[in-house]
Amino acid sequence: KKKKTTRLSPHLTGQQRMFEGQLVECEGDDEDEDDDDDDDGSSDTSVLVVPYPELVPVVFFCLKQTTCPRSFCFSTWFERVSMMVILLNCVTLGMYQPCENIDCSSDRCQILKAFDAFIYIFFALEMVIKMVALGIFGRRCYLGDTWNRLDFFIVMAGMVEYSLDLQNVNFTAIRTVRVLRPLKAINRVPSMRILVNLLLDTLPMLGNVLLLCFFVFFIFGIIGVQLWAGLLRNRCYPEENFTLPESIDLMRKYEKKDDERPFICSLPVDNGIMSCSDVPARREGGRTCCLDKDDALVSVAGLCVNWNQYYTRCHTGYSNPHKGAINFDNIAYAWIVIFQVITLEGWVEIMYYVMDAHSFYNFIYFILLIIVGSFFMINLCLVVIATQFSETKQREHQLMQEQRARCSSSSTLASEPGDCYEELFQLVCHVLRKARRQTVALFNTLRGKPRGFRGVGRGRVGGEGRERKANGRGGQRNIKMHALAAKTLTPSICILSGPPCPHHNKPDHASSSEPMALTAASATDGCPQCAAALTLADGVGPARSAANDEAEEGAVEETDREDVQSGGKEKAKKGLDSAGTNVGCSPKKRCKELWYEIRTKLWGIVESKYFNRGIMIAILINTISMGIEHHEQPEELTNVLEICNIVFTSMFSLEMILKLTAFGSFNYLRNPYNVFDGVIVIISVCEIVGQSDGGLSVLRTFRLLRVLKLVRFMPALRRQLVVLMKTMDNVATFCMLLMLFIFIFSILGMHIFGCKFSLKTETGDTVPDRKNFDSLLWAIVTVFQILTQEDWNVVLYNGMAATSPVAALYFVALMTFGNYVLFNLLVAILVEGFQAEVRRLSAKYCHVWVLIHVAQSVEKSLVMLILLISFPSSPMKSLCFRIQKMMEVYKPDWCESREEWSVYLFSPQNKFRLLCQSIIAHKLFDYVVLAFIFLNCITVALERPKILQGSLERLFLTISNYIFTAIFVAEMTVKVVSMGLYLGETAYLRSSWNILDGFLVFVSLIDIVVSMAGGAKILGVLRVLRLLRTLRPLRVISRAPGLKLVVETLITSLKPIGNIVLICCAFFIIFGILGVQLFKGKFYYCVGFDVKNITNKSDCLAANYRWVHHKYNFDNLGQALMSLFVLASKDGWVNIMYHGLDAVGIDQQPVTNNNPWMLLYFISFLLIVSFFVLNMFVGVVVENFHKCRQHQEVEEARRREEKRQRRMEKKRRSKTQGRRRKKKDGTWNLLGREDEKAQKLPYYSNYGRARLAIHALCTSHYLDLVITFIICINVITMSLEHYNQPQSLETALKYCNYFFTSTFVIEASLKLVAFGFRRFFKDRWNQLDLAIVLLSVMGITLEEIEINASLPINPTIIRIMRVLRIARVLKLLKMATGMRALLDTVVQALPQVGNLGLLFMLLFFIYAALGVELFGELVCNADYPCEGMSRHATFENFGMAFLTLFQVSTGDNWNGIMKDTLRECPPGHPGADYGCHAGLQFISPMYFVSFVLTAQFVLINVVVAVLMKHLDDSNKEAQEDAEMDAEIELELAQGGLCCMMGGIGAIAGATGGAAGGVGVGGAASGAIAAGMVGGPSGGMMAPLRDGGGAAAHEGHTHHRSQLYSPAQASGLSGIQESNYC
């Protein structure tokens, strides 16, 4: 039987491994099942005949594997058919049309119905067949596999659906189960299954994060309900006794007409921002109304009644904002709001509503929620998935390696698969060669020549060359070996025979060129042809030597060298051919030689670095020429650009022809870059030819790909792209998974929300909303939009209004799985790719190093030296050095004598200089300077443009500015005098931080001078200087060490980020130029009262309307790049996409959804850049953050080791004491007198019986469980509270609260009795318990006092007391250990995150101060409406600017705010009273883009990096703890064992009697053995106490003191305890 289980059936290898999931698992335990099934008494051999040993031999008690119906079920084509049917099902599902198929009367619907029935029957049949093949129940049977259970569920749901259909019950929920059918595809695609399994692997870890989410949601939800239930219903109404003239009808409450946002007012009891007196005046026809109600019946031309002034009473109404979706009326709605805030979309509006209705300070709740929820929890999710992914990936990789080793011979294992292109190319070459050989053979047979005929004199040599050529890229390694071997060659054997091993195709580029260069020369002594062949083959001929001079040549020319090599081989062959054919000198021969020489020359040209650089410059100029194109460009420019295009196309064609000639077609095609170039050239030529006939403008877009040719020339970029390509297979699988996911949710959305989203237009028509589920295309776009988190809340509001509030579940599920699981998986794939690349590189460097040593090391070092001398470390340094040398000639003598002096004035002994040095050295100096910097920060924050010139505030700020400038000038002077300005190691300007300080001081001085000289004339200069003033807080960095470290880390990780930025720029430029070509001039539209019938610009102007363009457009490359940046930040991209879809043509009025194909442009940009390239930011930041922290790691590791040793000692002591304590009274006296004193009794040993019982109860695990259960119920009761709740529920909740409070009081008092005061307060958890009890009791008493009205109490206090009950939830943390570990991670990361927080604060501070200077005067009112700014989001003063920047950093509607700052000044108005000026058009994009980049992309990713680091660390620590416990257990066990041995030895010694020493010997040897086993890890050695034990006392003649470790000592003291042992 054993034989049977290991042997795989021959049938299986050939098959497609049907039922793969089952077969792989089932190898291990067949024995037991076979025992049951062997009832026919057949022998072992009969069992061996089973065709499929993995499967159960007998199913349904009668069907063996060879029995007819069952044997038929094992067929291979079945899976393929099944896959086809699944795809067909996807098509039929996608053809569903919710708007038409209401009663299913159309033919189309009937056909789809028939298909559906057929597919269902197929799936049911498939299930039956699998059940027959595998059996139903059992581990290796049908229902043993998860995927099969999913199939089973789908079939059962279909059965229910069809049976209900027969009874005419249309139950939609059952129908939607069909949507799951595409999931069956996952099981059929192995790579996708691996990814899904990987996701399932991370679920246990994600469980803790979910628990944390549950905490956050409950705590914040209950607080929200307690504080703001019903508040968002407040509206303004007229006074109750308000009367109207009869003929006029007035709205019951004040609502804004056009805007979604309602006007929410604050009740008199609350102190919210808005009251009913703030209702704006009514406007009609663009004018403000000013008449009273008495004038209503008098009609005056152009005047109207301001009815809004009568809405003066704030009262709780009936509806909540956003169709009732946003409120805190009960916990479920509060959760929807919290989820929306955590997704960072539309959270600002909710915050403003609450601030209007309740209090300005509510922003604290939202900011806390965002920091805890978004920045920590969501990133924890990412971190968990990423760490888990890399572990699982490594595990999978090992498994695959092992399987490969088992399944195949060693040869295939040895060959690492090359890149895909190489493999394909080899295959094609092989096929072509075979075809050629066969045709030649056929031709020869037709001519009657014998087989194997090769022509004259072309024997061995030609064959040899051909053999080498046939091996394709015969590998550098091979040639290198040849080169090394060549030294020992005798002239007679010139050709190095033997085909190279095909499995070593991977060349080691870094080390290849030099050994070849060295050895070629020595090989040439005896054999000139040999030399030629070698030189050519290795590409180290005259042509290569030029390129060899380049420093980074190894990386850049990697692929090119491959060309050269193989090209070289071909020529070597030809050279050898000619050498072999030395018969006469025919003209044909001479032509051949001439052609060969031309090719060699060409080859040299193409390979030279100058040629490559020329091409590179051409590409750059071509890119610039394509980027110049813009809307309304002059005719001349268009012609010039056309000519340029023709010139560049011909240049690239020439390059292609030269390369083809030099390399030959095969070697040209071998390099994928060449293929890429060739395709672009061919397309460009086609386009130029096609242009004369008109049309073919689509091909123009392919020119843009030339930008990507630049990658060839940048090694660093190549590395990033290689990482991208390496992760490509995983990413492709991920994309499949994502598409499946989007498809399933789209169809589900069509079933639930199809045809239900509609808008009422101004004219009263109903049109579908643009974000809808009415067809498969728009459903997919909507789902994709929700995944990008842009405006998903609007879709949520529509869905809840159109169906029911339960619809929120659909959106929450979509966001959670899509965003927080799937997209984090993508980031994990990329991060893992980078880390793997780092690991691979370090391994490769070791490999290269070994190879270098093998090659002649002496020559090697010489070459190295020459290289080092010829390349100085950087050209800049050498330049500076030269300038210094030149200056030295003109240096006066006194300079030389005063080199040590500071600024050539103060000698080292100068008293003033010594005084300055002592001031700087004083420990308070830095603190004093820091204090002044902070004071200066405060005055910078007080600045705002609206301060009047002569006011007291302005005077104070001016004087304080003078004072601070004086202080900082003094600081700088002191430092310069004491350290010197530039000369010397420690001089002032040698530190970059000092340069920054000096620059700021210099700017302040200029600022004062300019303002004194009369600022009015040079306002622009003054403004710039005022802006530079805001940079002063940067001085803080150099004086706060933690902050300095973070900043330096960031700066060092900027270099690699630079590479990502370059890749980003390449994509941005390509998409930008493409966007200009697609959309230039098309983003204009008509603004007016009725634009229904307007089709173009002239109609618009004729009707006296305005023809304007969208702020984000594609009219030129600059505008296009800004629009693309907004797209990439995923905020506001939907509107830009709609403008693109609606665009008709230049000067044409847009038409809704005019060109849906443009979706491809926007969605491909988002997928490539936003999701893929920008997520590489995370990868790079994480990788570099870890690298930069490596030098601190050494220190940390040492500290950790010490800590571990200490903990180990502590644990060991506590364990051994615990062991001894367990013994009952009879054994204490055996420990010896001293031990008895040392061994204290437990603190509870003298308790009375009752107190002992209480103590036992308090320390039992069950009490904790009961309390946890009670807290859970308490949390549920707290969350039952809601707005307008019935009186009965209120009473019930009140009594519940009494019960819970009394429970906690009893628990706390019992613990006090059990532990006593001191011990009770030592434990933090007990302190928390007591605080909770006191708060609860206080809350109850206050409520009672208020009910009985004995004292007047502010209701806010009671509300706060009720909110503080939430603290009870924290007691749950005591039990949830997994979650505590996560929180520990967060807490450990806090110091570092704290430094990051400081950096954030600094960044925000500077940008806020800048914002106040730049945008402080922007006006938002009815005449100049704003899109992003409002009365809440402004830059009027520093505080508001800070809050607005927080909104920008979360990415919520920042593009709207940027739009408002980009406004053109209205014609005819001076800019000052409108708050705009022309410079903002350029400054504003720079301001916002730089802020968004640093805040959203870099800093948040550093938070991820810190969290990842600490999660790794805590995982390591947990592992170490577990190992330590195991070690100690082992030690104790062995100690016990040895003490038994020792006891036996002692007894033996005693019975021997005659020689007492034997006993001692036996005992001691036992003890020493015990010590040796546990000793080494103990480390410390302790002397054994006198009187180590009774047995030793009995027989000892003289006492010798000896050193033992604690483990040994415990072993010795345990010798006598044989009864315990």
Side-chain angles (χ1 to χ4, degrees), residues 631-632 1081 1084-1087 1094-1108 1145-1150:
H631 178 49
E632 292 176 344
Y1084 283 79
Y1085 63 106
C1086 192
V1087 179
I1094 283 169
T1095 55
N1096 54 28
K1097 183 176 178 179
S1098 45
D1099 292 1
C1100 183
L1101 297 177
N1104 274 337
Y1105 295 153
R1106 286 187 305 141
W1107 184 252
V1108 293
I1146 294 174
D1147 290 344
Q1148 299 286 314
Q1149 172 75 355

Side-chain angles (χ1 to χ4, degrees), residues 161 828 1277 1301:
E161 180 195 328
T1277 57
T1301 308

Side-chain angles (χ1 to χ4, degrees), residues 687-991:
E687 180 224 335
I688 289 176
V689 172
Q691 227 170 33
S692 50
D693 318 336
L696 283 178
S697 59
V698 184
L699 294 178
R700 299 182 56 164
T701 53
F702 284 101
R703 291 188 217 162
L704 304 174
L705 296 175
R706 289 178 194 164
V707 180
L708 286 178
K709 286 174 69 168
L710 285 178
V711 175
R712 261 180 106 147
F713 305 104
M714 299 182 185
L717 262 188
R718 282 247 294 249
R719 188 201 145 207
Q720 306 288 25
L721 273 183
V722 163
V723 173
L724 269 183
M725 293 307 164
K726 282 255 167 56
T727 54
M728 230 30 223
D729 53 346
N730 276 331
V731 171
T733 311
F734 164 79
C735 285
M736 277 159 59
L737 200 60
L738 181 67
M739 279 169 187
L740 192 68
F741 177 81
I742 290 179
F743 181 75
I744 288 176
F745 267 94
S746 306
I747 289 177
L748 189 57
M750 280 160 66
H751 278 284
I752 302 174
F753 308 113
C755 234
K756 289 183 183 165
F757 290 2
S758 54
L759 289 174
K760 283 249 184 334
T761 55
E762 291 162 14
T763 49
D765 306 335
T766 307
V767 292
D769 192 324
R770 295 201 74 163
K771 307 170 179 66
N772 61 50
F773 288 90
D774 297 351
S775 68
L776 182 64
L777 173 70
W778 285 106
I780 287 178
V781 173
T782 309
V783 168
F784 183 74
Q785 175 199 329
I786 293 171
L787 286 183
T788 62
Q789 300 190 2
E790 170 56 12
D791 275 351
W792 77 273
N793 51 335
V794 181
V795 190
L796 168 80
Y797 305 150
N798 286 342
M800 286 169 71
T803 52
S804 78
V806 184
L809 287 177
Y810 169 85
F811 295 99
V812 170
L814 175 55
M815 287 288 289
T816 312
F817 289 125
N819 249 315
Y820 302 135
V821 179
L822 271 184
F823 281 136
N824 284 344
L825 179 68
L826 173 65
V827 178
I829 288 172
L830 291 170
V831 170
E832 207 275 333
F834 273 102
Q835 289 172 345
E837 180 66 10
V838 173
R839 287 196 294 270
R840 198 182 65 77
L841 276 180
S842 50
K844 184 175 166 185
Y845 285 141
C846 305
H847 185 58
V848 169
W849 191 239
V850 172
L851 277 173
I852 286 174
H853 270 285
V854 172
Q856 306 338 73
S857 46
V858 185
E859 291 169 307
K860 190 92 208 127
S861 49
L862 277 173
V863 174
M864 282 288 189
L865 267 175
I866 294 164
L867 278 176
L868 282 175
I869 293 164
S870 59
F871 290 114
S873 57
S874 73
M876 264 318 284
K877 278 186 185 169
S878 61
L879 189 70
C880 295
F881 184 68
R882 279 181 202 158
I883 293 172
Q884 268 181 340
K885 281 282 179 220
M886 281 162 64
M887 295 294 286
E888 268 174 17
V889 187
Y890 306 108
K891 213 187 243 185
D893 297 336
W894 61 274
C895 283
E896 305 235 335
S897 58
R898 296 191 172 203
E899 287 237 312
E900 292 295 308
W901 292 38
S902 169
V903 214
Y904 297 129
L905 295 175
F906 304 98
S907 71
Q909 286 77 39
N910 183 307
K911 283 199 178 154
F912 179 54
R913 186 173 178 184
L914 291 173
L915 175 71
C916 288
Q917 280 170 345
S918 64
I919 290 175
I920 286 182
H922 198 282
K923 62 172 183 265
L924 285 180
F925 177 73
D926 269 348
Y927 291 113
V928 172
V929 174
L930 255 182
F932 279 122
I933 291 173
F934 279 126
L935 289 171
N936 191 10
C937 287
I938 293 170
T939 61
V940 167
L942 289 174
E943 277 279 358
R944 58 186 193 281
K946 289 184 179 170
I947 303 175
L948 295 172
Q949 203 49 46
S951 63
L952 189 67
E953 200 178 352
R954 170 56 63 212
L955 188 70
F956 165 72
L957 287 175
T958 316
I959 292 173
S960 63
N961 185 29
Y962 293 161
I963 293 171
F964 284 123
T965 307
I967 289 171
F968 293 131
V969 168
E971 184 218 9
M972 182 178 167
T973 318
V974 168
K975 281 192 171 174
V976 169
V977 168
S978 69
M979 303 193 301
L981 186 67
Y982 182 70
L983 294 174
E985 286 298 301
T986 56
Y988 185 76
L989 291 181
R990 288 295 162 99
S991 152

Side-chain angles (χ1 to χ4, degrees), residues 1520-1533:
E1520 278 175 10
D1521 273 9
E1523 281 169 17
M1524 199 172 2
D1525 283 355
E1527 234 173 272
I1528 292 169
E1529 283 297 327
L1530 188 76
E1531 229 167 81
L1532 289 170

